[in-house]
Amino acid sequence: MVTVDQLSTVFAALADPTRRAILARLAEGDATVNQLAEPFPISLQAVSKHLKVLEQAGLITRGRDAQWRPCRLAPAPLRDVTEWVETYRRFWEARYDRLDDYLQELQQTPKEK
Amino acid sequence: MSSNAVFQVAPRGDREIVMTRVFDAPRELVWAAFTDPEHLKHWWGRGNPMTIEMDARVGGRYRFVEHSPEGDEAFRGEILELVPNEKVVQTFEWEGLPGHIATDTMVMTEEGGKTLVTTTSMFMSQEDRDGMIASGMETGARQSYEALDAYLAKL
């Protein structure tokens, strides 16, 4: 279980589309900063900034080799975010499914309301 | 269940969750199902018996008790805003974790006889949100690697 502050940091990190795209890329495999920067019309510096945010949120880890510092996805914090959302999803999905059936029922046997 | 009944849930910002669901029914009926106790007791409890108090007006309060085989669970809140057939803003509190209150904004739009329900849950504070996470509201939510996969796919 992450702490409140950690989860906030993760949410803040995920709030940016460029950072989500970087994570999606890393989900396919490790990549260097150059490789990550390629698809984006922004500077390497800007990409580095995003990586720093992701690193602080614990969403990526980076190799320590000066020449080759691949970024790697660290999925644990994402799992915490997902679990948090998942509690809501399950809670409401069960109800909404039931509502769906009930609405069908109501419309099949129209009666005064 | 209708085939287009896709239930989507996504975080927004750092305090919100947005849920969307399409129901194959006109908006007036969906609205009634959400606000009329006679309707609510048919679905809110997921098949479990319900005790429902509902004062469906601005400033009115509601309290739902779901009598499940595992025990009773009670939820309550206050209606803050109400535009019939369109929008309701209400607080949502699980009595198992009192004081941790989310504000839910529900908006209904109709297109082609189907109704889109969009609900935005806003947590009032980090503490509330943390409380909800810590509560283990649904115990099965822990090992959700599958959900993680789905989430990653959407990133």
Side-chain angles (χ1 to χ4, degrees), chain A residues 1 4 7-8 11 78-79 82-85 88-90 92 94-98 100 102 107 113, chain B residues 1 9 11 19 21 24 26 36 39 42-44 46 66 123 126 129-130 133 142 144-145 152:
Chain A
M1 184 61 60
V4 173
L7 196 64
S8 297
F11 268 118
L78 275 180
R79 195 186 60 209
T82 309
E83 281 179 1
W84 182 62
V85 170
Y88 261 70
R89 195 188 67 76
R90 288 185 188 217
W92 286 109
R95 281 160 179 80
Y96 281 8
D97 281 351
R98 183 82 190 178
D100 215 17
Y102 180 59
Q107 293 182 105
K113 175 67 215 115
Chain B
M1 210 191 309
V9 182
M19 307 188 291
R21 178 72 145 76
D24 192 3
D36 183 337
H39 284 307
H42 285 276
W43 65 271
W44 210 91
R46 304 166 298 160
E66 179 182 352
F123 288 78
Q126 292 186 337
R129 191 182 64 183
D130 188 47
I133 300 163
R142 294 260 167 252
S144 53
Y145 274 99
L152 281 172

Side-chain angles (χ1 to χ4, degrees), chain A residues 26-99:
Chain A
L26 289 175
E28 291 164 14
D30 298 359
T32 62
V33 180
N34 277 322
Q35 289 168 332
L36 287 173
E38 220 168 282
F40 301 110
I42 53 174
S43 67
L44 264 180
Q45 228 170 359
V47 170
S48 290
K49 242 184 202 170
H50 284 308
L51 290 175
K52 198 169 270 179
V53 174
L54 290 170
E55 198 174 11
Q56 277 163 1
L59 288 163
I60 63 169
T61 57
R62 303 177 71 174
R64 289 288 158 235
D65 188 321
Q67 296 299 309
W68 169 250
R69 295 195 67 198
C71 301
R72 173 169 294 177
L73 183 69
L78 275 180
R79 195 186 60 209
D80 292 316
V81 168
T82 309
E83 281 179 1
W84 182 62
V85 170
E86 181 68 3
T87 58
Y88 261 70
R89 195 188 67 76
R90 288 185 188 217
F91 183 84
W92 286 109
E93 186 174 47
R95 281 160 179 80
Y96 281 8
D97 281 351
R98 183 82 190 178
L99 171 58

Side-chain angles (χ1 to χ4, degrees), chain B:
Chain B
M1 210 191 309
S2 58
S3 57
N4 62 339
V6 180
F7 186 56
Q8 290 188 312
V9 182
R12 184 169 70 192
D14 58 359
R15 287 200 296 155
E16 288 176 293
I17 289 183
V18 182
M19 307 188 291
T20 55
R21 178 72 145 76
V22 173
F23 294 96
D24 192 3
R27 189 167 66 170
E28 285 72 17
L29 189 58
V30 179
W31 176 266
F34 270 96
T35 52
D36 183 337
E38 279 309 304
H39 284 307
L40 278 164
K41 71 181 183 193
H42 285 276
W43 65 271
W44 210 91
R46 304 166 298 160
N48 292 318
M50 294 287 297
T51 303
I52 290 182
E53 298 160 37
M54 163 68 87
D55 184 7
R57 60 187 172 87
V58 174
R61 301 193 61 87
Y62 71 88
R63 185 167 187 265
F64 299 164
V65 185
E66 179 182 352
H67 309 285
S68 84
E70 294 86 43
D72 288 359
E73 291 294 356
F75 305 86
R76 66 181 176 209
E78 183 182 351
I79 294 161
L80 306 176
E81 230 184 292
L82 193 76
V83 182
N85 299 320
E86 278 180 31
K87 180 183 181 185
V88 61
V89 182
Q90 59 194 22
T91 62
F92 182 85
E93 180 181 14
W94 174 43
E95 290 186 4
L97 200 72
H100 299 284
I101 301 165
T103 302
D104 294 344
T105 300
M106 187 164 60
V107 175
M108 294 185 190
T109 54
E110 184 179 334
E111 206 182 310
K114 296 180 198 294
T115 302
L116 170 68
V117 178
T118 304
T119 306
T120 307
S121 284
M122 164 72 91
F123 288 78
M124 300 309 285
S125 69
Q126 292 186 337
E127 288 75 20
D128 284 350
R129 191 182 64 183
D130 188 47
M132 197 62 83
I133 300 163
S135 73
M137 191 165 76
E138 296 278 337
T139 45
R142 294 260 167 252
Q143 293 96 29
S144 53
Y145 274 99
E146 266 182 41
L148 171 61
D149 287 342
Y151 187 71
L152 281 172
K154 276 186 282 178
L155 283 173

